[in-house]
Amino acid sequence: MADSVRQDTPLYGRVLIRLTKPFPNFDFSFIKPIRRKAVASLSLPQGGRVLDVGCGPGGSFPFLVEAVGPQGKVVGIEISPLHSELAADRIAANGWTNVEVITKPAKDAALEGSFDGLLMFAAPDVYGSETELSNLIPHLTPGARVAAFGAKLAAGGFGRLLNPIIRALYKLSFSTTPPPSLEPWQTLSGHFEDLEITEYFFGLMFLITGKRRADN
Ligand SMILES: C[S@@+](CC[C@H](N)C(=O)[O-])C[C@H]1O[C@@H](n2cnc3c(N)ncnc32)[C@H](O)[C@@H]1O
């Protein structure tokens, strides 16, 4: 295996890819209601254009395709060629002609046109990075909506006892992944407003939604 593939796809990702390859529509069922909610929060217009950054195998694509309709466009950005292959399998299996995946780190993706919404689902390397966001935000329409979902540390209660698990899982990720924190949305809050945060799973997961700041 090429070094670039090892570097762009952590071990846990390569294992998951191998297991799920025969099932192009695979997704964890517990996550689907959160994906649905994240996509609904984007308030995408029919015929709209949306970015799914760190799209992985495209688990959010069905919800995004439904939201923008056949005249709309879904653009995934994915750093890992192995994940992009799975996303391509999903696109082919569903016959979607309005979904495209750019296999690049978000910071280097050559984007054309503007987008009505930005989804970063379980993509901390993107929503936690000024560098990656700096290539995305200029392509958002004024008032475009954003949704990001990910892991966090719990501030108290039962969740706090499970914080070591979140810290251990983080060690399996990219070397550049920001360490888990109590408020992993800090980078986003500089660029988006009207933010609403919902916590899940004893405060170990969060969904943040908002819209592009007028002065950004
Ligand atoms: C935990 S997976 C989530 C995948 C997908 N969004 C989902 O909900 O199933 C995070 C994804 O972000 C990708 N990724 C990490 N850093 C990235 C970057 N800088 N630019 C684009 N994609 C990135 C990883 O390769 C991985 O596929």
Side-chain angles (χ1 to χ4, degrees), residues 30-54:
F30 74 91
I31 217 77
K32 287 184 185 178
I34 307 177
R35 287 196 197 281
R36 192 172 288 114
K37 183 173 174 180
V39 172
S41 79
L42 296 176
S43 302
L44 294 164
Q46 282 281 305
R49 287 163 49 86
V50 62
L51 283 172
D52 181 1
V53 187

Side-chain angles (χ1 to χ4, degrees):
M1 187 178 293
D3 279 353
S4 61
V5 168
R6 284 185 190 285
Q7 187 185 321
D8 291 342
T9 315
L11 179 63
Y12 82 90
R14 299 203 299 274
V15 171
L16 203 56
I17 285 166
R18 188 167 280 212
L19 291 174
T20 58
K21 180 82 178 155
F23 313 104
N25 281 313
F26 173 81
D27 196 17
F28 294 104
S29 48
F30 74 91
I31 217 77
K32 287 184 185 178
I34 307 177
R35 287 196 197 281
R36 192 172 288 114
K37 183 173 174 180
V39 172
S41 79
L42 296 176
S43 302
L44 294 164
Q46 282 281 305
R49 287 163 49 86
V50 62
L51 283 172
D52 181 1
V53 187
C55 66
S60 298
F61 287 172
F63 303 97
L64 294 169
V65 167
E66 191 186 349
V68 297
Q71 306 304 321
K73 177 94 186 172
V74 178
V75 176
I77 305 178
E78 173 51 52
I79 196 172
S80 157
L82 294 179
H83 272 119
S84 278
E85 257 179 51
L86 286 196
D89 290 350
R90 190 186 299 264
I91 293 166
N94 290 280
W96 292 321
T97 54
N98 58 347
V99 185
E100 174 197 345
V101 176
I102 301 172
T103 308
K104 289 270 185 196
K107 66 183 171 56
D108 297 332
L111 294 172
E112 284 173 13
S114 56
F115 293 85
D116 306 293
L118 167 62
L119 178 66
M120 294 165 286
F121 202 96
D125 299 84
V126 183
Y127 62 68
S129 163
E130 288 288 358
T131 310
E132 307 287 343
L133 289 171
S134 69
N135 188 37
L136 305 173
I137 291 171
H139 288 274
L140 299 180
T141 55
R145 294 196 55 83
V146 66
F149 172 77
K152 64 181 281 292
L153 297 181
F158 178 64
R160 200 163 164 202
L161 299 177
L162 303 177
N163 282 346
I165 297 177
I166 296 291
R167 289 199 173 94
L169 289 175
Y170 147 75
K171 288 190 184 132
L172 299 177
S173 199
F174 292 91
S175 57
T176 50
T177 304
S181 68
L182 293 169
E183 296 186 353
W185 49 80
Q186 286 299 340
T187 313
L188 288 177
S189 57
H191 302 283
F192 297 92
E193 60 188 5
D194 296 346
L195 296 173
E196 283 182 26
I197 297 158
T198 312
E199 296 197 355
Y200 297 90
F201 308 117
F202 309 107
L204 296 167
M205 301 277 159
F206 72 97
L207 172 66
I208 187 166
T209 64
K211 67 173 188 184
R212 185 180 176 186
R213 283 168 60 139
D215 58 352
N216 192 247

